[in-house]
Amino acid sequence: PVVAPAAPPTRAPSHRTRAVRGAHLPDEAPPVAPAAQARTGRLSLRASTPAQVYEGDRRLGHTPLMGITLPIGRHTLRVVPDDDSETQEVDVEIEPSAESSVALRR
């Protein structure tokens, strides 16, 4: 009798995937490709008042932000509180393969 060769074992993906691959909300920052990670760093931002955070017209998310990937260099962020109090601008320096933390208090 002829025996068919066994199928090669399947490997689990080495990264996390979303329910729909590549999907993201249109007003949120898209994920960064692994090859670009050497030119990126991460941002964590906490605020005493819940707020939306923008870089220019791009919405980065709602506070607290944790581990948001951004290109290295200086970024000016706009923090718009949910309670209609005064909008703040904050400059942050993103270092390669590091996490920059910002804590805003009113």
Side-chain angles (χ1 to χ4, degrees):
V2 176
V3 177
T10 58
R11 294 173 43 184
S14 61
H15 60 283
R16 293 182 181 201
T17 58
R18 298 171 99 153
V20 177
R21 233 175 246 214
H24 61 274
L25 297 176
D27 62 348
E28 289 188 356
V32 176
Q37 287 181 355
R39 296 182 308 263
T40 63
R42 291 175 313 284
L43 167 71
S44 290
L45 188 146
R46 295 180 187 269
S48 58
T49 302
Q52 297 291 335
V53 181
Y54 297 88
E55 181 181 28
D57 292 333
R58 183 174 72 152
R59 179 179 172 267
L60 299 179
H62 195 268
T63 60
L65 295 179
M66 304 302 289
I68 301 296
T69 302
L70 291 172
I72 58 172
R74 181 171 293 284
H75 296 267
T76 299
L77 306 177
R78 187 168 36 99
V79 181
V80 181
D82 292 348
D83 67 3
D84 295 326
S85 58
E86 187 175 335
T87 296
Q88 290 182 288
E89 283 195 354
V90 60
D91 289 331
V92 61
E93 187 72 29
I94 302 297
E95 300 290 335
S97 301
E99 183 155 332
S100 299
S101 295
V102 176
L104 299 177
R105 292 185 174 83
R106 294 221 173 252

